[in-house]
Amino acid sequence: MPRFLSRAGTNIDDLERQLARVGSAENDASSINDDNAGEGTALLSANSKQQSTAPHSTRGAHSPGYGSLSPSAGRTHSPCCQKQSCLDASLCDCSNTLGVRIDGEEYASSQLSPLSMSQQQLQQQEQIPISHPPPQPQPPPQRKLGTWDGVFLPVMLSIWGILVYVRMGYFLGQIGIVGTIGSFLCGYMVTTMTTLSISAISTNGTVKGGGPYYMLSRSLGPEFGGSIGLMFYIGTLLSGALNAVAFVEPLLSNFGKNGGHIVKLFPEGWYWSILYSSVLLVFCTTVCLIGARMFAKASTILSTLIIASTGMIILSFALRQPFVNEDKSIYYTGWRLSTFKENLWPELTPISPGSPSETLGSVLGVLFPACIGIMAGASMSSALRKPSKSIPKGTLWAVLITFILYMVIIVCLGSTTRRATLRANFNVLEEINILPIIVPIGAITTSVTSTLSGVLSSASILQAIAKDDLFACLKPFKRVDRNDNPTRAIIASYMISQLAFFVGDTNAVAPYAT
């Protein structure tokens, strides 16, 4: 028992010594913190008095009206680290404190906390202005074309070309109503399938400049795209040249010195015909060089005349009374079943005395360009706001409306005019119209719009091919002006179209376009 009590007393003495050692350590730490707090308060109060008594001219130069903050040359320790009594490093957080100078006084960053700073210094820090870089001026966005003026009008005006005015009687006189409708159905079947393919490609991916070439080259590869793109370029180019050549026929039949029905004004002849076509081509090229916006404005204005002439042609079939003009070989019977049966089936004959008889192939070669022109909208993809939306919508509507108009005119003309008139007088739509002057105006206008579309669309395709560097000889044509117009490609298209005028008349140029 005495041994147990002596051992318990020894343990109690050891426990008391450990408690006393811990208590002395806590007292030392609290004394260090009291000293640090007192010194920090004294420094801040001295600094506040100095700022309140200092003149405004002595304030920081970098921030007028406010105290200047600047990091000191090196790192410094707070006063607690300079004391011998700071024995425990875990109780001191000032070992890596960055020194900061405020109005000439150096302080530790731990002393600048919101708990140890005065209210005036906190306000000064909050009011220091933050400099931001000035906003960069952005160039005004270039105005793009929409579905109506960028796709629908160009495609419709390209399909609804001058062949309606100068060759519709030729089609019906040679292959009849059945053959003409069947030929247009075949042509529009090809056109519709191509349109659906273009629509599928354009809606599933990005469409840039070049329209059909860009879509084909990105889908089939550059080898197939480049070869097919050149074919598209030549076809679109010849389509515009065809309208410039056909422009001469209504011009001279109404305003020629020898055979003009309205005013005998312009000289006639082969060289004069080339001159008139060249003047039209130069005018269209100039408009295209100005830019796509000018082309859209011109198409919108001219389309009103074309719509008016087309509406007047259809209205004349309902209002025109039967008449006969033997001097011009006009036999207009009105709506008769006998006339419809007479013109129903094909009957191929020579187009002029001494010439060989026409064939189905020769007639189709002239007719098929009346179905093309669907690439006019896709070729202007670089000028569209939303190509993936505008190309399919505008193209499909243009194809549908032009097909309906073609069918209406074929049935009306075949049911009211005898076949002898259709073969002898290609200007039959003007002769039977209640307002004859509107037909040549529409024919000349559609020549201008189709030529405009042919030049600009072909130039866009040529520029897109040149951008891909597939052919070294086409490298100069990828240049554009400051308005993003393919100037060199437009000039090259003009020069090639000019050569097509020496081939011959409309029937000679049309098969090449086909």
Side-chain angles (χ1 to χ4, degrees):
M1 187 67 181
R3 184 182 298 176
F4 171 77
L5 292 175
S6 63
R7 187 178 298 173
T10 304
N11 292 334
I12 291 172
D13 293 337
D14 294 338
L15 181 60
E16 289 176 353
R17 283 193 296 268
Q18 290 178 3
L19 291 173
R21 192 181 298 114
V22 173
S24 63
E26 291 179 354
N27 293 331
D28 293 339
S30 62
S31 63
I32 291 172
N33 292 334
D34 293 337
D35 295 339
N36 291 341
E39 290 176 1
T41 304
L43 288 172
L44 291 175
S45 61
N47 183 55
S48 300
K49 292 179 180 180
Q50 183 180 358
Q51 287 182 351
S52 61
T53 56
H56 293 284
S57 60
T58 61
R59 295 187 178 182
H62 297 284
S63 299
Y66 305 103
S68 62
L69 299 176
S70 63
S72 61
R75 295 184 181 272
T76 182
H77 295 283
S78 65
C80 69
C81 293
Q82 299 175 2
K83 291 183 175 295
Q84 298 293 333
S85 60
C86 188
L87 301 177
D88 192 356
S90 63
L91 298 176
C92 181
D93 57 350
C94 56
S95 58
N96 292 318
T97 306
L98 179 65
V100 179
R101 184 178 300 274
I102 301 179
D103 288 342
E105 296 292 331
E106 186 172 306
Y107 297 95
S109 60
S110 62
Q111 294 172 329
L112 298 179
S113 62
L115 295 177
S116 60
M117 293 179 64
S118 64
Q119 184 177 2
Q120 182 178 0
Q121 289 178 338
L122 288 175
Q123 292 177 355
Q124 290 176 1
Q125 280 194 346
E126 293 175 356
Q127 294 176 357
I128 292 177
I130 301 175
S131 61
H132 296 282
Q136 298 294 333
Q138 297 181 355
Q142 185 180 4
R143 189 177 180 185
K144 298 287 188 176
L145 304 178
T147 303
W148 170 262
D149 54 353
V151 180
F152 178 78
L153 280 181
V155 173
M156 184 174 179
L157 296 179
S158 297
I159 298 176
W160 195 255
I162 195 172
L163 293 179
V164 180
Y165 299 91
V166 300
R167 287 295 181 272
M168 188 60 73
Y170 166 76
F171 299 148
L172 287 170
Q174 294 294 331
I175 57 177
I177 298 174
V178 173
T180 304
I181 292 178
S183 299
F184 272 101
L185 284 174
C186 292
Y188 267 85
M189 185 180 299
V190 176
T191 300
T192 304
M193 289 190 295
T194 307
T195 303
L196 293 176
S197 300
I198 292 174
S199 301
I201 297 173
S202 62
T203 53
N204 292 330
T206 303
V207 181
K208 295 184 179 180
Y213 162 73
Y214 181 86
M215 292 183 283
L216 291 173
S217 62
R218 271 51 179 180
S219 301
L220 304 177
E223 294 82 5
F224 289 98
S227 58
I228 299 175
L230 287 177
M231 294 177 60
F232 271 121
Y233 169 70
I234 298 298
T236 306
L237 184 70
L238 290 177
S239 177
L242 172 63
N243 284 273
V245 172
F247 157 79
V248 179
E249 291 190 18
L251 179 69
L252 295 181
S253 62
N254 292 276
F255 305 102
K257 275 190 174 181
N258 298 330
H261 302 310
I262 300 176
V263 178
K264 299 183 181 299
L265 181 62
F266 296 104
E268 299 182 25
W270 187 69
Y271 292 103
W272 286 107
S273 298
I274 295 178
L275 177 62
Y276 301 145
S277 299
S278 301
V279 171
L280 173 63
L281 185 62
V282 170
F283 169 76
C284 295
T285 304
T286 304
V287 174
C288 293
L289 287 173
I290 296 175
R293 290 298 306 175
M294 185 63 184
F295 164 76
K297 291 180 180 179
S299 298
T300 304
I301 295 173
L302 296 176
S303 63
T304 56
L305 298 176
I306 299 174
I307 294 173
S309 64
T310 304
M312 192 59 65
I313 289 173
I314 297 174
L315 186 62
S316 297
F317 291 117
L319 301 180
R320 186 72 171 180
Q321 298 296 324
F323 72 99
V324 175
N325 188 343
E326 295 184 355
D327 295 336
K328 297 181 179 181
S329 301
I330 300 298
Y331 300 94
Y332 183 78
T333 62
W335 291 87
R336 289 188 180 181
L337 183 60
S338 59
T339 305
F340 177 80
K341 292 180 179 180
E342 179 186 358
N343 297 325
L344 187 60
W345 301 107
E347 189 176 336
L348 298 171
T349 58
I351 194 172
S352 60
S355 61
S357 178
E358 295 293 308
T359 63
L360 182 61
S362 61
V363 176
L364 287 177
V366 180
L367 182 146
F368 188 75
C371 305
I372 63 176
I374 61 172
M375 298 299 176
S379 300
M380 297 179 61
S381 56
S382 60
L384 300 176
R385 285 193 297 269
K386 298 179 180 179
S388 60
K389 178 181 178 181
S390 298
I391 290 176
K393 185 177 180 181
T395 306
L396 288 173
W397 273 109
V399 169
L400 177 62
I401 291 176
T402 52
F403 178 76
I404 294 174
L405 291 176
Y406 275 137
M407 295 300 104
V408 170
I409 291 180
I410 289 171
V411 173
C412 291
L413 185 60
S415 302
T416 57
T417 308
R418 296 188 60 182
R419 174 159 275 178
T421 302
L422 300 176
R423 291 175 179 174
N425 196 329
F426 292 165
N427 201 28
V428 61
L429 289 178
E430 179 183 351
E431 299 295 342
I432 65 176
N433 202 283
I434 58 177
L435 186 62
I437 188 62
I438 197 67
V439 176
I441 292 177
I444 294 173
T445 303
T446 192
S447 299
V448 175
T449 56
S450 299
T451 306
L452 280 170
S453 178
V455 173
L456 188 58
S457 300
S458 60
S460 300
I461 297 175
L462 180 60
Q463 181 204 12
I465 298 174
K467 280 185 176 180
D468 288 343
D469 295 327
L470 297 178
F471 304 97
C473 59
L474 300 180
K475 187 176 181 180
F477 299 114
K478 64 182 180 180
R479 290 285 191 91
V480 296
D481 59 8
R482 61 181 181 179
N483 295 325
D484 200 25
N485 296 322
T487 306
R488 296 185 178 182
I490 291 174
I491 296 175
S493 300
Y494 159 76
M495 296 175 66
I496 298 175
S497 299
Q498 186 69 47
L499 297 176
F501 297 158
F502 296 94
V503 175
D505 59 359
T506 304
N507 286 16
V509 178
Y512 291 99
T514 301

